Amino acid sequence: MDKIFDLTGRVAIVTGTSRGLGQQFARALARAGADLVLTSRNRDHLRNFESEVISMGRRAVALELDVRDQGSIEAMAASAEQAYGKVDILVNNAGMNIRKPAIEVTWDDWNQILDTNLRGSFFVAQAVARRMIPGGYGRIINIGSVTSVAGYAGLAPYGASRGGIRQLTMSLADDWGKHGITVNCLAPGWFRTEQNKVMYEDKEWVEYLSDRIPIKRPGQPGDLDSAVVFLAAESSRYVTGQTLLIDGGISTGAVRALPRKK
Ligand SMILES: NC(=O)c1ccc[n+]([C@@H]2O[C@H](COP(=O)([O-])OP(=O)(O)OC[C@H]3O[C@@H](n4cnc5c(N)ncnc54)[C@H](OP(=O)(O)O)[C@@H]3O)[C@@H](O)[C@H]2O)c1
């Protein structure tokens, strides 16, 4: 492998690795050579994946993390540092969504989404950056979304949290660049996971969605791999504060014609 994409000897925390995109990001980083810290609110949900990473020849440590709890964030960051002696890479992936017309969104819905996606990502980044600063090196990858750059009906608080992630990325990049830490946002388009699988059960809707994506299909496992490795490795050494959309092009002009059915 080209050295600029090689993560051998690097330690990466990927939050939210009990399923979905978090596992895809972790697999891609492990394939590039990184040792991993895996997290979930329930460590039992990490058992199989931890074994999978170890069978790839990498080290893996499974830790409990609830990003809505500051104590849990600090404990996770401290345990990660204790396990490996350093942290080089953070993928801030843990997140959730509640789909509702804006008129029906409750105070509690808003708090759950913003506390998890935005406040959680900030305080995880802060706890990890404190441990990157002494070594003068770090790669922080915040997971955004097409909603970081576009509005969608039914996703008002989620979009606010993802727009916030994009802004947070720029501010943290400016703040921590002097410490050798880059901060970027990887913004996936539409990928089928646990979070949205109900929508993908409707074939007609998938056809409708696919037609509106310039590349004519939703995202598939593997489509995000090279982007996360690029942002985690030497390859992106002069890239910071940026949002990289990996979305089959749906954030182009076609975005206004997005499905409103679900
Ligand atoms: N799928 C897409 O099309 C898409 C597109 C753009 C962006 N995203 C974003 O990408 C991320 C992963 O999405 P996904 O589709 O893979 O979702 P998912 O299948 O629902 O997985 C979400 C992950 O986040 C973790 N998580 C949720 N709440 C948490 C909390 N309070 N503390 C710690 N961990 C928590 C979950 O772990 P536990 O439940 O085990 O704790 C799980 O591992 C999310 O931030 C999502 O918003 C997804």
Side-chain angles (χ1 to χ4, degrees), residues 81 85-87 127-138 179-181:
E81 187 182 35
K86 65 167 185 172
V87 181
V128 173
R130 282 189 179 132
R131 290 155 171 94
M132 290 173 165
I133 287 170
Y137 180 89
H179 299 297
I181 300 172

Side-chain angles (χ1 to χ4, degrees), residues 15-25 39-43 45-46 64-69 72-73 92-97 99 112 115-117 120-121 124 143-148 158 161-162 186-196 200 219 224 246:
T15 66
T17 37
S18 55
R19 56 180 185 268
L21 301 187
Q23 290 196 348
Q24 294 181 32
F25 294 134
T39 80
S40 161
R41 283 168 292 181
N42 184 340
R43 267 182 60 184
H45 295 169
L46 295 169
E64 205 171 278
L65 171 67
D66 185 340
V67 299
R68 293 165 305 178
D69 174 347
S72 171
I73 291 173
N92 238 333
N93 165 78
M96 53 89 64
N97 190 13
R99 256 163 231 280
Q112 274 193 67
D115 289 358
T116 305
N117 297 357
S121 294
V124 172
I143 301 308
S145 147
V146 184
T147 62
S148 296
Y158 183 79
S161 75
R162 294 296 171 213
L186 195 171
W190 294 72
F191 287 75
R192 181 187 174 141
T193 64
E194 199 61 32
Q195 195 182 90
N196 55 27
Y200 286 84
L224 300 166
I246 307 289

